[in-house]
Amino acid sequence: MQQEAVDKEMVERLKRRYFGQSLRSLNSFDDIAITYIRNYFEGLDMFDALECIDHICEEDFEQAREILKNADMAYVVIEPENS
């Protein structure tokens, strides 16, 4: 995301992917419960979250890129102990 701008085609692919994942989660009672709890604490209804996915655009990705570019981050590598 830092090297390339996100184009409209990529945004549409991502939207379809996450919309599909959201619908697939309705096949599992555990996933429904987890999604409901997450949305409850975010103050969203399950269907509002789907609407949020539908309204995401390239500008949203550009704003996220700017926020992430200036954010403090740490990179951690966990390697197995040599025996």
Side-chain angles (χ1 to χ4, degrees), residues 16-48:
R16 284 192 303 267
R17 174 184 170 189
Y18 286 106
F19 191 75
Q21 284 179 343
S22 297
L23 292 179
R24 257 193 320 274
S25 73
L26 297 175
N27 289 332
S28 163
F29 290 121
D30 292 342
D31 288 342
I32 292 171
I34 291 167
T35 302
Y36 179 81
I37 290 169
R38 284 182 180 160
N39 289 339
Y40 174 81
F41 286 113
E42 291 177 18
L44 292 173
D45 155 303
M46 286 177 75
F47 298 104
D48 290 340

Side-chain angles (χ1 to χ4, degrees), residues 24 50 53 57 60 64 69:
R24 257 193 320 274
L50 294 175
I53 293 171
C57 62
D60 296 323
K69 186 174 15 176

